Amino acid sequence: MLQTRNILDVGAGSGEFLHFCDQLNLRAEGIEPNAAYSVFARNRLGVKVRTAMLDDVTFPRGTFDCIRLHHVLEHVRDPVGFLARLREWLTDTGVLYVAVPDIDQDARRKAPEHLFHYGHIYNFNPWTLEACAGRAGFARSSPSYSTSLLFEKAEPWRPAEVDHIENALQIKRSLGAGRSKSAALWRLTGRLRYRSRELLLTPGIRSWDDVGRYFVDRYLA
């Protein structure tokens, strides 16, 4: 198991992950471009966060054993270059954690008008995330095939290795499936399940029978 000594959280937000690292006595610091978030992290949680963009900071080669990138890469204009810069700051045995939304799953689960976020420059599925990291000199070390992955240093992929026409066709199928009546019904039932669980926390609602009566009285009576 990796004995992590130095951690960098890129896009640290309001610092909860860094606070957790502090509780484990790990040496961790973060970068966060949003001033309100980073000020909160420093003043309320007492963690080390710089208010800066990635281009505004630098570290010696091999400074960190682990770099975390949680829902950041989809906002970046040059994701391959971004990851390549982080690679320089990792030790040779270090790990990179990346998590991004999965456009393939979202296309099946979200209504078309809610699918694309205005702040997301790129959209990833498991293959495109792995290919992007591969171009930057990383190889997937996670056993799972998802858009929350661990990477380790490796030789960069050649451009030809990124081509994957079947993946493009898969995304096209997912986009089509998301517009179907069955997908719309799945989304509706999902919202009903969420609302039902929420109602169980409401005073006066003590059982699933009470939830059923609520929906009947409100929508069918």
Side-chain angles (χ1 to χ4, degrees):
M1 181 177 178
L2 175 69
Q3 297 297 312
T4 303
R5 295 177 297 277
N6 294 299
I7 300 171
L8 178 66
D9 192 14
V10 179
S14 47
E16 289 85 355
F17 174 76
L18 293 173
H19 180 67
F20 175 72
C21 290
D22 277 356
Q23 301 305 302
L24 297 176
N25 296 316
L26 299 172
R27 293 196 296 271
E29 59 186 287
I31 303 168
E32 172 53 51
N34 185 295
Y37 280 151
S38 55
V39 168
F40 176 89
R42 288 193 296 269
N43 295 345
R44 294 293 297 275
L45 298 182
V47 295
K48 185 177 180 181
V49 181
R50 304 188 194 195
T51 305
M53 301 291 288
L54 190 75
D55 290 342
D56 299 326
V57 299
T58 188
F59 297 96
R61 181 186 296 269
T63 298
F64 299 102
D65 305 290
C66 177
I67 297 178
R68 177 178 183 261
L69 203 62
H70 185 74
H71 286 254
V72 172
L73 197 63
E74 65 271 23
H75 299 277
V76 174
R77 293 188 181 277
D78 178 13
V80 174
F82 193 90
L83 293 178
R85 183 172 174 82
L86 297 181
R87 187 182 189 277
E88 295 297 310
W89 299 343
L90 268 180
T91 62
D92 289 340
T93 57
V95 294
L96 170 72
Y97 169 78
V98 183
V100 294
D102 186 340
I103 190 63
D104 196 8
Q105 295 296 323
D106 285 350
R108 297 172 182 274
R109 297 175 179 177
K110 292 185 177 182
E113 63 271 19
H114 297 145
L115 179 56
F116 297 105
H117 191 284
Y118 70 92
H120 294 177
I121 300 173
Y122 288 95
N123 295 282
F124 297 90
N125 75 343
W127 169 255
T128 55
L129 175 59
E130 185 175 359
C132 180
R135 290 288 289 142
F138 288 101
R140 175 168 62 94
S141 58
S142 295
S144 63
Y145 190 61
S146 72
T147 54
S148 298
L149 295 174
L150 288 172
F151 295 95
E152 58 190 8
K153 284 186 173 183
E155 289 299 315
W157 288 17
R158 298 183 302 274
E161 295 178 286
V162 178
D163 292 339
H164 193 343
I165 186 63
E166 180 54 38
N167 186 68
L169 295 174
Q170 171 60 41
I171 293 296
K172 184 177 180 179
R173 288 192 292 268
S174 298
L175 290 170
R179 292 179 169 83
S180 68
K181 292 181 179 179
S182 61
L185 180 61
W186 191 95
R187 289 190 291 268
L188 175 60
T189 56
R191 287 195 292 270
L192 288 174
R193 289 195 301 271
Y194 176 82
R195 179 59 175 151
S196 297
R197 288 193 296 268
E198 187 180 58
L199 282 169
L200 286 175
L201 302 176
T202 302
I205 303 290
R206 296 186 176 87
S207 68
W208 286 108
D209 288 341
D210 292 338
V211 171
R213 280 191 290 272
Y214 171 89
F215 282 112
V216 170
D217 293 343
R218 180 157 187 171
Y219 298 110
L220 301 180

